Every structure is written in C-alpha cells, then in structure tokens.
Amino acid sequence: MRISDEQVKKVLSQREALVDEIQEMDLEMEPSPRPTDGPLIAKVTKEVVNMPDREDRIAEVKAMIEAGTYNPSGDAIADAMIRRAIADSVK
C-alpha cells in the first residue's frame, strides 16, 4: 500500500504528541481498556473509519502489472520503502 505525503506528514506531526500522551498515562497494570481510554479509542476508531478505500488504485496497479507497463523507478521504490518504514515505526 502506498503511503501519501499527507499521511507521512500527519504521522510525523502527531507522533510526538502521541508519545507525550502515552508517557503521561498511568502505566500501572490496570484492566484494558481503562475508563480514561475512551477519548483515545474514539479518536483512533474515527481515523480508521475515515481511511480511504484503495480498491481502485489496487485494480489500476494490478492491470498495469498484468499489461507489463508497471515500471517504477528506483527512486519510487526507495520512497515507498522509507514511507513504509515510517508507518511501521508508528505501530
């Protein structure tokens, strides 16, 4: 899956805030989810629900591969690898 510039910027801008938020949380062993987790759960759920469907882009790339016309440059491949690494580091 391709990660857009917008998604990378969003992840990088929110990462520091999320790290701070996590550090401020009481990390003692408590039942999960805790009663105070509601806003965070609602925020994450909303973001997941609002993610765009990629079926049309997947079909487009699949057709290009089957037609032999999908020839990404080395730069495009490196860009995708960096974006994937950023996205995976947030998980």
Side-chain angles (χ1 to χ4, degrees):
M1 166 174 36
R2 185 175 190 289
I3 301 169
S4 70
D5 290 339
E6 183 179 314
Q7 289 169 316
V8 171
K9 289 176 186 176
K10 183 177 180 181
V11 165
L12 292 175
S13 69
Q14 291 181 350
R15 184 175 185 183
E16 186 174 319
L18 290 173
V19 168
D20 291 342
E21 187 176 332
I22 290 169
Q23 289 174 345
E24 290 174 5
M25 292 179 172
D26 181 8
L27 299 179
E28 293 179 18
M29 296 300 287
E30 293 183 25
S32 183
R34 296 178 295 184
T36 57
D37 290 342
L40 181 58
I41 292 170
K43 177 183 174 184
V44 171
T45 301
K46 181 179 178 184
E47 288 183 11
V48 169
V49 168
N50 290 329
M51 287 181 170
D53 292 330
R54 303 289 296 176
E55 293 174 8
D56 54 339
R57 178 65 178 143
I58 293 168
E60 178 185 337
V61 172
K62 185 177 179 180
M64 290 169 50
I65 291 170
E66 290 172 354
T69 59
Y70 183 69
N71 299 308
S73 68
D75 287 343
I77 293 169
D79 183 58
M81 292 171 67
I82 291 168
R83 291 170 187 275
R84 183 78 267 154
I86 291 169
D88 290 346
S89 73
V90 175
K91 292 180 182 178

